[in-house]
Amino acid sequence: MSELSSSAASGHAIETLQIEKRRYPPSPDFTKQANARPEIYGRAFDQFWSDESKRVTFFEPWTELYEWKPPYAKWYIGGKLNVCYNCVDRHVEHGLKDKVAYFWEGEPENDRRQITFGELQKDVVRLANALKKLGVKKGTHVGIYMGMIPELPAAMLACTRIGAPFTVVFGGFSAEALAGRMNDMQCELLITQDEGWRRGNRVPLKANADAAMQESPTVTRCLVVRRTGGDVAWTQGRDVWAHDVLKDVSDDPKECPCEPMDSEDLLYLLYTSGTTAKPKGIVHTTAGYLVGVATTHHYIFDVKPKSVYWCAADIGWVTGHSYIVFGPLANGTTGIVYEGTPDFPEKDRWWEIVERYKPDILYTAPTTIRTHMKWGPEYAEKHDLSSLRVLGTVGEPINPEAWVWYREHIGANRTPVVDTWWQTETGMILITPLPGITTLKPGSATKPFPTVDAAVYNEKGNEVPPGGGGYLVIRKPWPAMLRGVYGDPERYQQTYWDRWKDTYFVGDGARIDEDGDFWLLGRVDDVMNVSGHRISTIEVESALVSHPAVAEAAVAGRNDAQTGQAIVAFVTLKGGKEGSPQMLKDLRDHVGRVIGKFAAPANIVFTPELPKTRSGKIMRRLLRDVSENRPLGDTTTLADPAVVAEIAKRGKEEAAKEEA
Ligand code: WTA
């Protein structure tokens, strides 16, 4: 484990803490109507999660609230339920058939669909029947590789209806990344689409899927949704068009009942970067996850029956799983799903969407807010955003300037902004303001959600007093917590539980201020956060060294005004070769092919040698200093200090190029 990273220790968040004096108490009008009441913080742990479980319909009631045998938790033991039933069928049964579940907006202009809960039920039933026809049963593992089209949530729900655990792989991932995940989970069927739209370009999802399936022997069937109508290669006997199978199957829910699942049955895996090259399959199960996301969604976003809620994340990341699909649908909320980028065809696309559908809640990432900030407020000013009542952010620390800009220019200086901290592993938001109660501070995620026992520890595992920085930990279980790392109990134990007994090690630095408010300080391990995407330094390094010209590579994150962090790679070429602009391009493309374009380094510094300790460990801390243009820290353990001087020189040249 590395030290609290120097960027976290000297970086933005702490300086901000010292100067950030702005306070935003809730308005009395908001407080009057808020879902959360101040008493919420006083509710006892067991009572809280017992009461909140009533948001979910169980076919058979649970008998024991939870069991905690560290590091494994079980929740709502003995219960039987179905996630699809909770997200779709029961709303139809309760008279919400004609309520809109999703307003869907395609990227091409005038490409829209409105899907009611009744229609969603039919879509899901047909899709579930199609999956069954292709051999999917309870317990069959399914991969999903799609863009933001209505068939994506429908596919996830169809799997849960049958009891087939799935993994969604973000459409920006490469074929290789997709194959790795499907192999790890042993998926038998893949659901994908011909192509996706992104900024007017076609994303070749089926072509990537074809390449992935070459390397994924367990996948024998591929269900393909037609989106763009572009030409795609076809493997007879394996590939099936969705529109062909869907023609012949029933949409009657009675003919495809929701499979009763155990509270602790596997719901899905979501792969996330850790500190090794191999992503971890984070395990989420059924009842605790659903109660956790429904409850947090209700209180944190102050969702009302009439709300129109827009979470602008991609469903391929955990934010989309928990807060586009499962939380909102469990609560019967009307959502917006947008397929494309914020600047297509113009930079006001988002605000046009807000004006059209009039959401009262908008949830997005700091990096997107900073992008809008860079483009300027005039794009938002062209549109009527007065429907907005609550704004949220997630994914990385938000700098106070972006927070204040968001509130002023998008929220008319009136809406609360909830900065929500959580992870793929936590499944649900754990540190967050509650609108109507919390006095907001730009840059702070404020308080642990009721019952969440968060603290900041020093190296020794003692609590750090207010004002000091340290490691964020969680000391009690919570319903949506991960149940393990798929197929790797040792890694689960080691990554999250070995540091301090029975205490969840988050991997983020944090400090708590005098008021008990939490300030997140970024990762403390070798994980970078680029535009809210977790990318491991080692994953990028191993992608680089898999290129035939590369001898060695080391990767570090540097601060970036827009993307939070940007990736800097230090590369030594084979045979003492010098780098060239062509090589730079080749290597970036190569990383794009191995992981995905979003993981391609922003800068590459070619260097004859990397700084290593005498035992041969690459000193990433020094490289971080170089990439940040900071004075170099301690170099005494270096095998050859001259190497660093050379790298620093080359790093500066690279930075100068960047500015030019
Ligand atoms: C970071 C995304 C500061 C953090 C839901 C965490 C944040 C990682 C915040 C998880 C926030 C997320 N403030 N940092 N509000 N939210 N993070 O798994 O470093 O993609 O560990 O889950 O993002 O990223 P993940």
Side-chain angles (χ1 to χ4, degrees):
M1 185 74 49
S2 66
E3 75 288 15
L4 260 182
S5 79
S6 43
S7 64
S10 66
H12 242 89
I14 294 182
E15 283 156 32
T16 317
L17 176 58
Q18 285 152 0
I19 56 169
E20 186 49 62
K21 293 273 193 283
R22 284 168 285 194
R23 298 291 177 271
Y24 297 80
S27 80
D29 285 347
F30 196 103
T31 302
K32 253 189 268 152
Q33 59 83 62
N35 290 353
R37 307 269 137 198
E39 308 82 78
I40 194 172
Y41 287 105
R43 286 167 61 187
F45 187 97
D46 285 28
Q47 197 61 49
F48 185 92
W49 289 113
S50 169
D51 290 346
E52 297 298 336
S53 78
K54 298 190 183 100
R55 295 182 187 285
V56 164
T57 305
F58 285 81
F59 297 147
E60 282 176 40
W62 51 271
T63 50
E64 197 185 335
L65 181 65
Y66 74 107
E67 175 195 282
W68 178 220
K69 290 192 181 148
Y72 292 100
K74 291 182 180 163
W75 280 82
Y76 305 111
I77 297 166
K80 296 270 184 283
L81 72 162
N82 182 282
V83 168
C84 184
Y85 179 77
N86 275 280
C87 290
V88 183
D89 296 60
R90 64 169 177 162
H91 302 314
V92 176
E93 289 169 12
H94 295 163
L96 297 181
K97 181 166 83 52
D98 296 325
K99 181 173 181 177
V100 173
Y102 287 124
F103 288 112
W104 178 73
E105 168 109 356
E107 190 185 80
E109 276 176 293
N110 300 316
D111 191 1
R112 298 181 195 126
R113 261 181 78 187
Q114 172 177 318
I115 301 139
T116 62
F117 278 97
E119 288 161 342
L120 183 60
Q121 185 183 40
K122 290 192 160 129
D123 288 350
V124 169
V125 166
R126 289 197 310 154
L127 204 46
N129 275 326
L131 290 173
K132 282 185 179 172
K133 249 183 129 168
L134 297 174
V136 175
K137 296 195 268 296
K138 180 174 178 177
T140 305
H141 291 185
V142 175
I144 302 177
Y145 182 60
M146 297 171 85
M148 291 282 283
I149 57 175
E151 289 84 350
L152 171 52
M156 296 158 80
L157 292 164
C159 287
T160 70
R161 187 174 196 93
I162 307 176
F166 60 85
T167 191
V168 178
V169 179
F170 168 58
F173 273 114
S174 66
E176 207 169 303
L178 173 60
R181 285 156 174 77
M182 291 199 295
N183 283 329
D184 190 73
M185 193 181 183
Q186 301 273 288
C187 295
E188 295 178 36
L189 178 139
L190 173 64
I191 310 174
T192 188
Q193 64 189 72
D194 50 0
E195 299 167 317
W197 286 118
R198 190 170 170 78
R199 205 172 274 120
N201 300 316
R202 291 158 186 264
V203 184
L205 292 166
K206 173 65 164 61
N208 290 345
D210 285 338
M213 284 185 285
Q214 294 268 317
E215 309 298 323
S216 313
T218 54
V219 180
T220 55
R221 304 308 304 259
C222 181
L223 184 65
V224 189
V225 174
R226 182 180 278 157
R227 165 63 184 129
T228 64
D231 275 343
V232 292
W234 210 250
T235 301
Q236 290 301 336
R238 183 194 69 188
D239 300 346
V240 192
W241 281 112
H243 53 260
D244 284 341
V245 233
L246 291 176
K247 272 198 319 251
D248 309 326
V249 293
S250 159
D251 62 9
D252 180 355
K254 284 198 280 306
E255 288 182 37
C256 182
C258 295
E259 188 68 36
M261 302 298 286
D262 187 84
S263 287
E264 281 301 325
D265 274 338
L266 175 59
L267 176 63
Y268 68 78
L269 299 183
L270 187 57
Y271 287 82
T272 188
S273 288
T275 53
T276 71
K278 191 175 182 292
K280 300 173 281 200
I282 301 300
V283 176
H284 283 296
T285 59
T286 304
Y289 176 78
L290 196 61
V291 174
V293 296
T295 305
T296 45
H297 180 252
H298 173 79
Y299 290 116
I300 296 168
F301 299 106
D302 197 50
V303 183
K304 308 294 187 203
K306 285 214 161 79
S307 280
V308 176
Y309 159 89
W310 186 16
C311 169
D314 193 289
I315 293 175
W317 305 108
V318 75
T319 303
H321 283 61
S322 297
Y323 297 109
I324 296 179
V325 182
F326 297 116
L329 290 181
N331 288 335
T333 305
T334 298
I336 298 173
V337 170
Y338 170 51
E339 181 182 34
T341 57
D343 55 349
F344 192 87
E346 296 299 339
K347 296 189 173 71
D348 65 341
R349 183 66 186 268
W350 269 31
W351 315 124
E352 195 188 295
I353 292 174
V354 170
E355 185 164 346
R356 177 169 312 124
Y357 303 106
K358 308 204 176 345
D360 52 332
I361 305 157
L362 173 64
Y363 189 30
T364 186
T367 183
T368 316
I369 298 166
R370 289 192 296 266
T371 301
H372 286 297
M373 203 171 150
K374 193 183 81 185
W375 291 339
E378 55 273 26
Y379 296 99
E381 279 158 14
K382 279 199 267 183
H383 296 277
D384 176 10
L385 310 184
S386 60
S387 60
L388 291 169
R389 201 168 56 80
V390 179
L391 301 177
T393 84
V394 59
E396 46 170 324
I398 182 162
N399 48 313
E401 294 334 304
W403 192 104
V404 169
W405 188 92
Y406 192 30
R407 176 170 158 117
E408 272 180 24
H409 293 285
I410 308 305
N413 225 351
R414 163 178 59 75
T415 59
V417 175
V418 291
D419 174 359
T420 65
W421 177 89
W422 59 297
Q423 305 178 295
T424 304
E425 292 87 337
T426 68
M428 63 187 238
I429 297 167
L430 291 190
I431 303 180
T432 178
L434 291 180
I437 300 182
T438 313
T439 290
L440 305 167
K441 300 177 183 175
S444 169
T446 71
K447 299 277 193 297
F449 188 75
T451 76
V452 172
D453 184 15
V456 173
Y457 278 8
N458 65 14
E459 288 286 344
K460 294 205 180 79
N462 299 320
E463 266 186 79
V464 176
Y471 302 100
L472 180 63
V473 298
I474 316 285
R475 297 183 290 200
K476 279 202 196 105
W478 62 98
M481 71 189 279
L482 74 169
R483 301 299 199 262
V485 171
Y486 189 68
D488 200 344
E490 243 163 78
R491 190 170 181 193
Y492 175 58
Q493 172 75 40
Q494 218 179 0
T495 310
Y496 304 106
W497 305 99
D498 266 1
R499 217 168 217 237
W500 299 297
K501 193 171 157 27
D502 305 349
T503 300
Y504 176 75
F505 178 78
V506 164
D508 280 6
R511 57 170 52 197
I512 305 177
D513 69 16
E514 312 293 334
D515 304 323
D517 287 320
F518 284 65
W519 298 75
L520 278 303
L521 306 177
R523 301 288 307 186
V524 296
D525 53 14
D526 292 323
V527 176
M528 300 169 289
N529 189 327
V530 181
S531 299
H533 301 161
R534 272 163 77 170
I535 304 168
S536 130
T537 53
I538 298 159
E539 229 174 322
V540 180
E541 285 167 7
S542 53
L544 284 165
V545 294
S546 72
H547 187 280
V550 174
E552 261 195 316
V555 163
R558 64 162 165 80
N559 285 324
D560 184 275
Q562 201 172 324
T563 57
Q565 279 191 301
I567 303 177
V568 184
F570 298 82
V571 169
T572 307
L573 295 176
K574 282 183 184 157
K577 287 218 179 63
E578 284 288 325
S580 63
Q582 184 58 43
M583 181 54 72
L584 184 116
K585 184 176 176 301
D586 288 354
L587 292 183
R588 300 192 68 228
D589 290 350
H590 180 72
V591 176
R593 272 193 303 276
V594 177
I595 305 175
K597 278 202 188 105
F598 62 91
N603 314 96
I604 298 184
V605 179
F606 291 101
T607 166
E609 265 181 278
L610 293 172
K612 290 193 186 143
T613 62
R614 288 180 200 107
S615 57
K617 266 183 72 174
I618 295 173
M619 291 188 71
R620 287 206 180 70
R621 177 178 54 77
L622 280 177
L623 294 175
R624 270 199 304 261
D625 290 343
V626 171
S627 19
E628 299 280 357
N629 262 322
R630 268 197 303 271
L632 297 179
D634 185 12
T635 57
T636 50
T637 52
L638 269 181
D640 180 2
V643 172
V644 172
E646 177 62 24
I647 292 179
K649 196 178 111 224
R650 288 170 184 245
K652 284 217 179 79
E653 286 163 12
E654 177 63 33
K657 263 191 258 161
E658 170 103 333
E659 268 158 39

